Amino acid sequence: MNKDTFQGSRLLLLDFGSQYTQLIARRVRELNVYCEMHPYNHLPENLEDFSAVILSGSPYSVRSAEALHPDLSALKGKMPLLAVCYGAQYLAHFGGGEVAPSNIREYGRAHLTYIKPNEPLFEGIAEGSVVWMSHSDTIKQLPTGAVCLASTPDVVNAAYRIEGEETYAIQFHPEVTHSADGMKLLGNFLFKIAKLTPNWTSDNFVEMTVAQLKAQVGNEKVILGLSGGVDSTVAAVLLNKAIGKQLHCIFVNNGLLRKNEFENVLKQYEGMGLNVKGVDASARFLTALAGKTDPEEKRKIIGRVFIEVFDDEAHKITDAQWLAQGTIYPDVIESLSVKGPSATIKSHHNVGGLPDYMKLKVVEPLRMLFKDEVRRVGRSLGISDELLGRHPFPGPGLAIRILGDITAEKVTILQEVDAIFINALKENNLYDKVWQAGAILLPINSVGVMGDERTYERVVALRAVESIDGMTADWVDLPYKFLQKVSNDIINKVKGVNRVVYDISSKPPATIEWE
Ligand code: XMP
């Protein structure tokens, strides 16, 4: 990050492992303040660049043997600090107060009563405001030098501050939407107490990142693999703005993309002025996949062939020094997580990138952005809503939507089915209401009747889900009339298909993809 752009207005968020920590980061960013999340026990080396700190909640109890107990002497009393939930208990327990198990476990809504009126943290928030609690310990006695600011019917010390410091602590969670004035409270801390400047905007990010990329890359060449997805596209446009033709993009057709996707997207990329080479390697992928039915094996083959094709192309670009990747902030946070990287259920998400033998330096222009911020930056760069609003599409493409072995004929059938479904969603203004949609070719035939003939043809499943991040998902209640029309169109127009079913499983326990 360029040191100057957000100087004096960076917030440090220390993660004690709460499920809500990322949400705090997002809320702070929504208030246009630049925020970095770091594990509780690893303060950033450039601590002097931060002007305020928030301590997150935690699944641990401060009273337990495994309580997280970092040394915060470099922060507390030195800069404005807001401690949330575990953070508040932590300051009390290790600061001369007392934390004890609650008589009642307090989960859910509670109402605030002010003990000390006219506090800047609560400015503009009416007494009685609903706050969201989630804790089983309670602060019985405040730490040395603290004054109680607010209570709820069950929690005496729901908020306090430490005299002579800009240290505030709250037992409830302002980051969840159930805390009615949570954003106002966070804003009060950021702007009234910490006096930060709300300068984290897409335009500032673009300006800063372009300057930073120019300095980082100089006049060297960068290679980037475009996928048609939002992240790689935004990364490419940012780099293009910074270094122009020094950026060499490679867009590989693995033969498993949607109908006409390769040609259409390539044309759009060229129209955006990107220096892009389209490589049609369909035959190479299909040959390598022939006869393979195991989903993980299919994924691995596609990953391996992609690297081979990419490597062949990269070698044609002489003297390239850099490999650009579309890594985004949740991937970075995951790799630094207090709990360690979460278990992977499928071997996806391309983490780890390309093999070492490529020996390129890595540049990741989006590594500080959440997904919604990537879209906003894309918009500020003038990328079309059509490209930015595209549903996620898995790297192995239709290979994991053709259950069983893959042949060119099956790919064509699924492309036709998928195109009818996706186009119908668009024509009926349903596309943007769905997070991800697609069709799956099942490995069974079913009996049907067409005219006087008995048929024995393929079955396809349609899947449409709503989700925030793909971690959990629910099937979309698409109108019956719409499904009826799509089903008719598919069966009438796609030769070889005589039955359409709609997947009504949520994730968990199902997953979004079938393989
Ligand atoms: P699941 O099926 O795990 O999917 O519920 C969650 C999200 O991940 C995508 N997905 C993949 N993406 N390579 C990818 O790049 C893969 O192997 C892969 N498998 C699933 C899926 O499309 C959904 O958005």
Side-chain angles (χ1 to χ4, degrees):
M1 287 280 135
N2 182 315
K3 250 177 128 85
D4 297 325
T5 312
F6 301 108
Q7 199 65 23
S9 56
R10 291 154 178 246
L11 182 119
L12 170 63
L13 171 59
L14 278 194
D15 178 25
F16 287 82
S18 159
Q19 57 173 324
Y20 297 128
T21 313
Q22 262 200 53
L23 202 50
I24 299 179
R26 298 181 61 153
R27 296 287 180 248
V28 170
R29 300 258 191 111
E30 279 167 29
L31 290 163
N32 294 335
V33 168
Y34 177 65
C35 164
E36 265 180 44
M37 186 169 152
H38 288 264
Y40 72 98
N41 52 356
H42 278 116
L43 294 183
E45 278 166 19
N46 59 336
L47 196 58
E48 69 283 359
D49 289 341
F50 292 88
S51 310
V53 60
I54 293 182
L55 311 183
S56 84
S58 174
Y60 296 101
S61 162
V62 287
R63 296 174 298 102
S64 70
E66 70 271 27
L68 313 175
H69 185 186
D71 173 12
L72 298 182
S73 56
L75 303 168
K76 189 179 158 294
K78 310 268 168 52
M79 63 174 83
L81 182 153
L82 177 66
V84 175
C85 195
Y86 179 93
Q89 297 178 358
Y90 171 85
L91 292 187
H93 187 70
F94 295 106
E98 187 192 345
V99 174
S102 315
N103 292 335
I104 38 164
R105 290 153 69 85
E106 203 180 22
Y107 292 98
R109 290 176 175 79
H111 297 268
L112 282 182
T113 308
Y114 294 138
I115 305 300
K116 214 163 174 304
N118 304 322
E119 281 292 317
L121 190 63
F122 293 107
E123 205 175 304
I125 302 175
E127 201 164 32
S129 179
V130 172
V131 292
W132 182 260
M133 294 281 187
S134 175
H135 60 105
S136 51
D137 279 352
T138 198
I139 300 168
K140 260 190 126 167
Q141 198 185 323
L142 292 177
T144 314
V147 285
C148 181
L149 304 183
S151 302
T152 69
D154 293 318
V155 177
V156 178
N157 295 310
Y160 65 85
R161 72 171 158 76
I162 304 217
E163 294 274 36
E165 296 180 8
E166 285 169 314
T167 299
Y168 289 79
I170 49 179
Q171 181 59 75
F172 50 90
H173 289 270
E175 68 277 17
V176 303
T177 49
H178 311 291
S179 286
D181 294 304
M183 283 296 263
K184 197 168 263 172
L185 184 143
L186 286 173
N188 285 343
F189 173 70
L190 298 175
F191 306 123
K192 302 215 153 65
I193 294 165
K195 311 245 175 339
L196 302 182
T197 316
N199 56 5
W200 174 250
T201 61
S202 304
D203 288 347
N204 280 348
F205 173 83
V206 170
E207 196 186 315
M208 172 196 74
T209 308
V210 166
Q212 185 202 23
L213 288 171
K214 278 183 181 158
Q216 187 180 8
V217 171
N219 52 15
E220 297 177 340
K221 287 185 192 166
V222 179
I223 302 177
L224 179 144
L226 279 168
S227 69
V230 175
D231 300 343
S232 66
T233 305
V234 174
V237 175
L238 262 175
L239 275 156
N240 183 49
K241 204 171 157 83
I243 58 166
K245 297 290 177 241
Q246 283 163 248
L247 174 68
H248 295 255
C249 302
I250 299 169
F251 181 32
V252 175
N253 183 4
N254 58 12
L256 302 157
L257 302 175
R258 299 196 134 114
K259 186 179 174 186
N260 298 331
E261 171 102 340
F262 182 61
E263 299 75 13
N264 289 345
V265 174
L266 192 57
K267 218 173 280 161
Q268 288 190 50
Y269 282 147
E270 286 163 353
M272 287 153 65
L274 293 178
N275 181 12
V276 54
K277 177 165 183 198
V279 182
D280 188 355
S282 309
R284 196 159 156 183
F285 280 89
L286 288 183
T287 306
L289 283 167
K292 304 295 182 199
T293 55
D294 177 69
E296 286 302 292
E297 194 184 358
K298 291 198 273 185
R299 280 188 170 83
K300 290 207 175 90
I301 291 171
I302 292 165
R304 173 176 55 75
V305 177
F306 178 82
I307 289 167
E308 287 168 12
V309 172
F310 193 86
D311 199 30
D312 287 353
E313 290 305 317
H315 275 113
K316 294 180 193 161
I317 302 161
T318 47
D319 299 333
Q321 304 269 351
W322 294 88
L323 178 71
Q325 292 193 327
T327 316
I328 62 173
Y329 201 37
D331 306 332
V332 175
I333 292 174
E334 169 104 339
S335 64
L336 295 173
S337 159
V338 169
K339 289 164 276 183
S342 57
T344 39
I345 293 170
K346 294 175 184 172
S347 63
H348 53 78
H349 301 317
N350 320 325
V351 180
L354 294 161
D356 278 341
Y357 65 81
M358 288 192 68
K359 300 277 184 280
L360 296 172
K361 296 177 274 187
V362 172
V363 55
E364 296 172 317
L366 310 179
R367 65 178 278 116
M368 295 319 290
L369 298 186
F370 288 110
K371 190 83 184 182
D372 50 327
E373 294 176 321
V374 175
R375 289 214 169 83
R376 244 175 285 145
V377 165
R379 221 159 276 135
S380 140
L381 286 164
I383 301 173
S384 71
D385 280 342
E386 191 203 332
L387 255 174
L388 293 175
R390 304 176 95 217
H391 289 173
F393 187 68
L398 300 182
I400 54 169
R401 295 184 181 167
I402 295 172
L403 308 197
D405 73 314
I406 294 158
T407 62
E409 183 220 350
K410 289 183 188 174
V411 172
T412 308
I413 290 178
L414 188 57
Q415 281 178 331
E416 295 300 330
V417 171
D418 177 81
I420 291 172
F421 183 34
I422 298 296
N423 288 338
L425 285 170
K426 288 183 178 160
E427 282 157 17
N428 289 277
N429 291 325
L430 291 166
Y431 185 84
D432 292 333
K433 299 192 175 98
V434 169
W435 190 78
Q436 187 173 20
I440 300 100
L441 188 66
L442 305 190
I444 46 169
N445 281 16
S446 82
V447 173
V449 50
M450 282 190 189
D452 292 332
E453 303 243 332
R454 209 176 121 91
T455 60
Y456 189 59
E457 292 180 337
R458 296 188 176 283
V459 183
V460 292
L462 305 181
R463 182 90 163 123
V465 295
E466 45 197 20
S467 175
I468 303 288
D469 51 14
M471 302 296 285
T472 59
D474 210 352
W475 59 280
V476 180
D477 189 3
L478 292 174
Y480 281 174
K481 282 266 167 250
F482 169 82
L483 288 169
Q484 181 187 41
K485 168 92 171 56
V486 171
S487 165
N488 271 344
D489 281 354
I490 290 171
I491 293 171
N492 286 334
K493 290 181 187 159
V494 186
K495 215 169 153 254
V497 175
N498 70 355
R499 194 176 294 265
V500 175
V501 296
Y502 186 53
D503 182 350
I504 52 167
S505 329
S506 62
K507 172 185 179 175
T511 50
I512 296 175
E513 304 294 348
W514 280 42
E515 279 197 339

